[in-house]
Amino acid sequence: MSDFELSRNSFGRLVLKAADGRVHEGVVAVRAFPIAAPDEGISLVGSEGHELVWIARLDDLPDDMRRLVGEELAQREFVPVIERLVAVSTFATPSYWRVTTDHGETEFILRGEEDIRRIGHGKLLIGDSHGMQYLVPDLYALDGHSRKLLDRFL
Amino acid sequence: MSARPDLPRFPDSLPAEWCRELDAELSSGSNVLAWLEVDLDESLGFARTRIVLCDGELLSRRAGTMQWQRWPLHAELQLGHFDHAGVGTLELSDRQGRLSVWRYTLEQNLAVLRLIKAFESRQQLLATGAAPAVESGDICPKCKAPLPPDETECPICTRVEQTPPSTWTLLRLWRFGKPYQGQLLAGFLLMLGSTAATLVPPYLTMPLMDDILIPFQNGQQIDAGLVGIYLAALLGAALLSWALGWAKTYILALVSERIAADLRTATFEHLLQLSLEYFGGKRTGDLMARIGSETDRLSVFLSLHLLDFITDVLMIVLTAIILFSINPWLALVTLLPLPLIAWLIHLVRDRLRTGFEKIDRVWGEVTNVLADTIPGIRVVKAFAQESREARRFRDANHHNLVINDRLNKTWSLFTPTVSLLTEIGLLVVWAFGIWLVSKSQITVGVLTAFLAYIGRFYTRLDSMSRIVSVTQKAAAGAKRIFDILDHVSTVPEPVRPVHLANVTGAMELREVGFRYGSRSVIRDLSLQIRPGEMIGLVGHSGSGKSTLVNLICRFYDVTDGSIRIDGIDLRSIPVAEFRRHIGLVLQEPFLFFGSVAENIAYGKPDATRDEIVAAARAAHAHEFILRLPQGYDSLVGERGQGLSGGERQRVSIARALLIDPRLLILDEATSSVDTETEKEIQRALDNLVAGRTTIAIAHRLSTLRKADRLVVMDRGRIVEIGSHDELMASEGHYYRLYQAQQRHAEELLLEGAAA
Ligand SMILES: Nc1ncnc2c1ncn2[C@@H]1O[C@H](COP(=O)(O)OP(=O)(O)O)[C@@H](O)[C@H]1O
Ligand SMILES: [Mg+2]
């Protein structure tokens, strides 16, 4: 049903063959609403920065293309989900945090309380000193220890 | 024994464990040139992968595997990197395709750049047989500046890591108390005296009981003389305590007000030094609350609560001494509940402190709604969103209530519990005291004195328990203030400042890169600007023009590369000294509350009236200013209310003219006004530009006719440089931009004709 084709070349870049027959190399996939609606509204953007294809829903794509887009998205957006706060160095900021995420355990520096952004009920986005974002999908679903630590910064 | 030449050689910085491992891997005589441990794996999990570059090959070992992968170096091998949203990617590829990918967080960006640099110079050596130019050996991979001799790290790029402030925040207030040491000591001595004086009356109940009242009950006469002496002593003690108490309160209140005022000033001054990055991340309401009400709260804490508390402690200590000197056993029983109360206080303490910190933050939220809404009131009303803003305020207020309610639950239990303990304590003293009296161990007078003492004693404990909450509040406030004071500017003052003598205005941008957070906005941008040259910066909105200007003004510091003026890195010039040479005219000129003349003289407060008028004339602002009811003395409002956009703009041009800067920056100075006014402003600008190095950003390309060179930017890079004619001839980016604008102008013209 889709009028374009996607493939990956030997350099690992996404190649798009558009409906008009033109071929674009190095296409990137971008989510329009990464937080509010990650699976809706995905744009394939050419290396020039112009939108080439708009995908209303990821589910509308055939399986193999969905996998390609999925891979591309996965490596472009890296928002580890915090599963547990292991320790924080201090309740004042800047503070060193050790956390367990869905991508493994890591450490980062929280520069200030304002880097913790509330995005809806119990959902938090935490930015570290290098601009990386960590997601807490549901504050209330965390274990007691983590919640207690986190609570001090809210 | 000397090192054998046929063993692999490692840099000193390489961890010993790596050396052991690589020893087995590397062929003899091979040297490790660069190494790195990236912190993400291919599927972006946090795992460490080692990468090592040595003479003839690149090696890598993934976390969890024992096998080193190797790629022999050859001419077609390329190592590239890019980053997006906080994740960097390092790619090894040859002509056929990609060979390997590594990923890392930006924390390791510098190390990756080092590796790539080492790799490239190695490749060059292999290709040409000659090592690359001498320079590359000691150039900082990040800012491309030559490194000082004998140093491996660039002094500009390696900055102090942030250290968390300690939790003993209140003690840090001592820094502000120090200048008032003398007064503080005097206050303390007065306090000691007045407290001691208040302890005399209960002591006198002893002789009053034992020598006068009890003998009287047993049928003896009252000795009027003795009674007179005791009563006089009571009066004397009361008067003394009154006088001393007054003096101490007065002195200490004076001092604490001064401390708070110093704190407020210091905080504000520090705040002004911070970079725009800080202000971008903070909200006005929050900052205002910190400097305004927090310092005030601290002052009240110091002058009232802390003072009371120290008095209480003194009283308890003195009382304890007196009680023990009268009867140790009874004293022991009397003081028994004390540790219990102390424990109770400690228990509640933690809960209260976090609670109060929370309340402060919520309070900031409430102020933020105000600070957002009031300046934006025109937008709010235009879109009829009053009820939504009201709801936002109500929500913030409600949040405040909820948190307060939760805290009050703990807090309300606290005071009655202390009272209960007090009553129980008194009960114990009564019981033990009566028993002692019955055994004739003590007199009735002693028991009365004890009861009189601890009556006060316990009421003090009750009020002391209040110190817990106020101290926590004050500590939370102090922390929020020290958060500002501890914040190191991201455009720090240089450690070894270089001073600008005579600025010619030659600028050099060397491989500049910049990120807002993890978002890369300027990439690998190099540009040389001659003294006195006028550069027109053009490009689509969002292409990074304003950002570049922010970097040149040093509102932000570059992430990579460097910017130099007259060959000196901006980061080694004192910030204020550098900015004195910059005249900045922005699209949205900001006028401060004050007269027009004051606004023009903002950058040079000691300017004479003649200078101000001359600047206004040159800015074509003179005539409209004269039309204002009070001429140059007319007040202009907070956001320049009462002046039109074009008028405000001309005031700000006059402001820039007055400081006579070597470097002039115009960021869309004429974009928000109509064509007529633009012509007016353009004439003003022509005066301003003459003889200065100028960087002008303009939306309307026609306004850049006078530019010596046009620099076309696209998505953070320079795509074209040249004069108008050259760029038109090459039919590239600029040509398309220009064509689009021409068409648009023609359409407007046609529409105008039709109407
Ligand atoms: N304070 C900021 N924080 C994050 N991104 C910003 C900030 N300021 C600008 N940007 C982004 O940087 C890019 C360049 O912006 P800017 O330099 O203002 O463009 P121009 O002036 O060319 O229109 C834009 O994509 C913009 O969204
Ligand atoms: Mg701009």
Side-chain angles (χ1 to χ4, degrees):
Chain A
M1 58 151 280
S2 56
D3 45 5
F4 58 90
E5 283 168 33
L6 278 176
S7 57
R8 193 180 288 285
N9 69 10
S10 63
F11 289 92
R13 304 275 186 271
L14 217 52
V15 180
L16 172 84
K17 196 164 161 218
D20 59 5
R22 287 212 296 202
V23 175
H24 304 268
E25 279 201 7
V27 172
V28 291
V30 182
R31 286 191 216 269
F33 306 98
I35 296 161
D39 289 340
E40 283 170 39
I42 288 154
S43 178
L44 298 183
V45 179
S47 53
E48 290 288 300
H50 295 296
E51 178 175 274
L52 302 170
V53 174
W54 172 258
I55 304 168
R57 299 187 54 83
L58 199 53
D59 294 343
D60 295 346
L61 289 180
D63 279 349
D64 52 337
M65 291 222 271
R66 191 168 65 215
R67 193 180 42 82
L68 278 175
V69 173
E71 278 171 17
E72 186 67 19
L73 286 170
Q75 51 173 283
R76 278 182 65 78
E77 47 184 51
F78 182 50
V79 183
V81 174
I82 294 184
E83 287 164 350
R84 211 174 95 79
L85 267 74
V86 182
V88 302
S89 66
T90 152
F91 294 117
T93 51
S95 167
Y96 287 78
W97 287 31
R98 218 171 62 243
V99 297
T100 318
T101 71
D102 58 344
H103 288 265
E105 193 169 316
T106 187
E107 258 181 60
F108 63 86
I109 303 174
L110 178 77
R111 256 197 305 207
E113 279 119 12
E114 60 282 347
D115 288 341
I116 302 181
R117 191 177 135 206
R118 288 167 184 274
I119 43 170
H121 195 74
K123 208 169 177 180
L124 304 174
L125 204 57
I126 302 174
D128 78 355
S129 57
H130 291 280
M132 205 153 85
Q133 304 281 334
Y134 295 82
L135 182 73
V136 177
D138 185 2
L139 171 63
Y140 306 103
L142 287 177
D143 60 302
H145 174 73
S146 309
R147 212 167 49 225
K148 218 159 87 192
L149 291 182
L150 196 56
D151 201 47
R152 297 287 295 267
F153 294 88
L154 296 179
Chain B
M1 202 176 86
S2 61
R4 295 218 316 270
D6 55 340
L7 284 179
R9 267 173 302 187
F10 306 113
D12 294 340
S13 55
L14 196 70
E17 185 223 338
W18 289 47
C19 297
R20 271 195 301 283
E21 207 184 316
L22 287 169
D23 215 23
E25 288 293 325
L26 296 183
S27 57
S28 51
S30 184
N31 301 316
V32 171
L33 301 173
W35 58 275
L36 155 76
E37 197 172 41
V38 293
D39 55 357
L40 293 175
D41 61 22
E42 256 166 307
S43 53
L44 296 176
F46 291 103
R48 309 223 147 232
T49 297
R50 296 173 177 186
I51 308 174
V52 172
L53 174 74
C54 55
D55 292 332
E57 55 185 348
L58 191 72
L59 296 94
S60 163
R61 181 167 76 76
R62 316 240 155 210
T65 66
M66 288 315 294
Q67 193 61 41
W68 283 86
Q69 285 176 281
R70 338 170 129 231
W71 296 272
L73 299 188
H74 59 87
E76 281 171 9
L77 220 50
Q78 277 188 344
L79 200 56
H81 78 113
F82 58 90
D83 66 78
H84 176 79
V87 180
T89 304
L90 180 70
E91 284 183 337
L92 183 73
S93 51
D94 63 11
R95 197 169 301 160
Q96 275 74 49
R98 189 160 70 177
L99 300 172
S100 184
V101 192
W102 297 272
R103 296 185 192 277
Y104 53 92
T105 65
L106 289 182
E107 200 178 334
Q108 288 167 313
N109 207 27
L110 191 57
V112 169
L113 290 176
R114 284 218 175 93
L115 179 79
I116 292 179
K117 207 189 80 185
F119 178 85
E120 281 169 358
S121 73
R122 190 69 203 158
Q123 285 287 72
Q124 197 175 336
L125 184 73
L126 286 181
T128 62
V134 204
E135 223 194 2
S136 70
D138 33 19
I139 264 193
C140 167
K142 199 167 174 208
C143 72
K144 315 287 188 255
L147 291 180
D150 312 327
E151 274 183 60
T152 49
E153 302 233 296
C154 174
I156 291 170
C157 291
T158 46
R159 296 227 178 93
V160 218
E161 195 53 47
Q162 301 155 333
T163 46
S166 89
T167 23
W168 288 94
T169 330
L170 273 177
L171 286 184
R172 299 180 56 196
L173 282 175
W174 176 239
R175 178 180 136 199
F176 294 91
K178 214 160 175 203
Y180 305 101
Q181 290 183 41
Q183 280 112 307
L184 283 173
L185 184 69
F188 182 75
L189 292 178
L190 285 170
M191 187 191 283
L192 202 61
S194 79
T195 311
T198 57
L199 291 178
V200 174
Y203 197 86
L204 290 178
T205 54
M206 223 166 12
L208 275 171
M209 271 290 168
D210 290 343
D211 303 347
I212 295 168
L213 290 178
I214 298 209
F216 173 70
Q217 251 181 1
N218 296 340
Q220 289 180 20
Q221 271 307 108
I222 284 182
D223 180 346
L226 203 59
V227 171
I229 293 175
Y230 284 144
L231 291 186
L234 278 177
L235 183 65
L239 285 175
L240 186 68
S241 143
W242 172 77
L244 293 179
W246 168 76
K248 130 203 130 173
T249 311
Y250 182 66
I251 289 187
L252 292 179
L254 278 189
V255 172
S256 73
E257 274 302 334
R258 274 166 188 63
I259 291 178
D262 291 351
L263 185 67
R264 210 171 294 146
T265 321
T267 314
F268 185 60
E269 281 173 1
H270 186 82
L271 187 68
L272 289 181
Q273 300 300 323
L274 294 178
S275 68
L276 283 190
E277 189 183 350
Y278 185 81
F279 289 92
K282 297 280 176 190
R283 303 179 67 179
T284 318
D286 181 47
L287 289 178
M288 275 163 43
R290 288 195 198 194
I291 296 184
S293 47
E294 302 287 1
T295 49
D296 194 53
R297 182 184 290 173
L298 274 182
S299 152
V300 171
F301 167 73
L302 291 177
S303 64
L304 220 64
H305 303 299
L306 186 63
L307 209 61
D308 281 352
F309 182 70
I310 298 177
T311 316
D312 291 343
V313 171
L314 278 178
M315 172 121 111
I316 289 178
V317 172
L318 292 177
T319 311
I321 294 173
I322 295 172
L323 291 187
F324 270 101
S325 69
I326 303 174
N327 185 306
W329 281 113
L330 191 54
L332 208 62
V333 172
T334 314
L335 298 178
L336 217 58
L338 199 62
L340 194 68
I341 294 179
W343 176 73
L344 190 76
I345 289 173
H346 176 78
L347 207 70
V348 183
R349 198 176 131 157
D350 253 14
R351 283 186 152 217
L352 287 177
R353 186 186 49 209
T354 50
F356 285 121
E357 271 187 31
K358 242 188 194 155
I359 287 178
D360 283 346
R361 267 181 239 138
V362 174
W363 192 236
E365 218 170 279
V366 174
T367 350
N368 274 334
V369 178
L370 292 177
D372 282 352
T373 313
I374 295 172
I377 191 68
R378 277 175 65 173
V379 182
V380 174
K381 285 191 177 294
F383 288 88
Q385 293 297 318
E386 290 94 336
S387 59
R388 169 174 136 182
E389 295 301 328
R391 196 172 53 235
R392 216 153 69 90
F393 189 74
R394 209 176 315 129
D395 286 349
N397 229 348
H398 181 70
H399 195 175
N400 185 13
L401 265 184
V402 171
I403 289 187
N404 263 300
D405 286 352
R406 211 181 308 154
L407 190 66
N408 284 337
K409 229 180 264 167
T410 323
W411 178 230
S412 54
L413 194 66
F414 190 51
T415 318
T417 313
V418 173
S419 304
L420 182 68
L421 287 176
T422 310
E423 296 301 329
I424 294 176
L426 278 172
L427 200 73
V428 173
V429 175
W430 270 110
F432 192 62
I434 292 173
W435 183 73
L436 282 178
V437 171
S438 75
K439 296 273 173 204
S440 296
Q441 297 266 332
I442 56 169
T443 63
V444 176
V446 170
L447 180 58
T448 331
F450 262 77
L451 287 169
Y453 269 119
I454 59 163
R456 299 173 170 230
F457 191 92
Y458 276 141
T459 54
R460 297 319 301 166
L461 265 191
D462 189 30
S463 85
M464 269 175 82
S465 65
R466 228 159 277 152
I467 189 75
V468 180
S469 76
V470 289
T471 311
Q472 299 312 337
K473 268 189 195 182
K479 186 209 138 192
R480 283 156 58 78
I481 290 168
F482 280 108
D483 270 354
I484 298 182
L485 283 173
D486 288 338
H487 197 94
V488 191
S489 175
T490 43
V491 292
E493 289 292 338
V495 193
R496 276 168 291 175
V498 181
H499 295 281
L500 287 170
N502 282 316
V503 183
T504 63
M507 302 276 315
E508 185 192 356
L509 287 80
R510 226 191 251 190
E511 298 178 34
V512 170
F514 179 72
R515 290 197 187 88
Y516 288 109
S518 65
R519 184 158 156 223
S520 180
V521 177
I522 300 275
R523 302 184 188 90
D524 198 20
L525 188 148
S526 298
L527 181 67
Q528 303 249 6
I529 305 172
R530 291 185 303 272
E533 189 179 31
M534 178 173 175
I535 295 281
L537 212 53
V538 301
H540 290 291
S541 155
S543 56
K545 304 179 300 287
S546 300
T547 306
L548 191 64
V549 159
N550 283 339
L551 293 177
I552 290 176
C553 296
R554 215 182 157 211
F555 291 142
Y556 295 87
D557 265 347
V558 293
T559 322
D560 300 307
S562 66
I563 301 181
R564 286 142 193 280
I565 182 162
D566 290 356
I568 304 171
D569 194 306
L570 292 193
R571 285 167 292 190
S572 45
I573 307 169
V575 185
E577 189 178 318
F578 170 65
R579 298 238 176 92
R580 261 208 304 280
H581 298 286
I582 295 188
L584 184 63
V585 182
L586 297 172
Q587 178 174 7
E588 280 295 322
F590 188 90
L591 300 190
F592 294 95
F593 188 84
S595 72
V596 174
E598 281 164 357
N599 265 292
I600 292 179
Y602 186 75
K604 192 180 173 190
D606 56 349
T608 64
R609 292 207 182 82
D610 286 342
E611 284 176 312
I612 292 174
V613 172
R617 262 188 223 284
H620 290 248
H622 183 64
E623 282 166 13
F624 90 76
I625 293 174
L626 290 185
R627 282 198 295 275
L628 296 173
Q630 275 122 21
Y632 280 86
D633 290 330
S634 311
L635 284 184
V636 287
E638 245 174 285
R639 284 174 293 281
Q641 276 142 354
L643 294 186
S644 77
E647 289 167 343
R648 254 180 287 161
Q649 193 55 278
R650 277 174 282 168
V651 170
S652 80
I653 291 174
R655 189 192 279 166
L657 260 174
L658 190 64
I659 59 170
D660 191 24
R662 293 308 314 148
L663 198 69
L664 185 66
I665 291 171
L666 310 170
D667 190 352
E668 313 239 358
T670 59
S671 293
S672 58
V673 296
D674 56 86
T675 347
E676 262 322 293
T677 322
E678 184 186 352
K679 281 201 187 114
E680 191 79 355
I681 295 178
Q682 198 59 46
R683 276 200 293 277
L685 285 177
D686 290 345
N687 284 332
L688 188 52
V689 165
R692 304 171 212 277
T693 305
T694 305
I695 298 172
I697 301 176
H699 182 62
R700 294 194 196 103
L701 301 176
S702 53
T703 53
L704 294 175
R705 298 181 311 276
K706 295 226 161 124
D708 298 304
R709 278 192 298 167
L710 293 170
V711 172
V712 188
M713 286 186 65
D714 187 37
R715 281 176 294 146
R717 288 197 174 89
I718 294 182
V719 286
E720 285 173 340
I721 301 183
S723 69
H724 173 80
D725 296 336
E726 288 163 18
L727 294 178
M728 287 304 282
S730 68
E731 302 202 355
H733 272 88
Y734 181 78
Y735 177 79
R736 287 197 293 277
L737 272 175
Y738 193 82
Q739 290 289 333
Q741 278 198 3
Q742 286 300 105
R743 264 200 307 280
H744 184 62
E746 275 161 25
E747 273 163 29
L748 281 183
L749 221 61
L750 285 178
E751 269 169 36

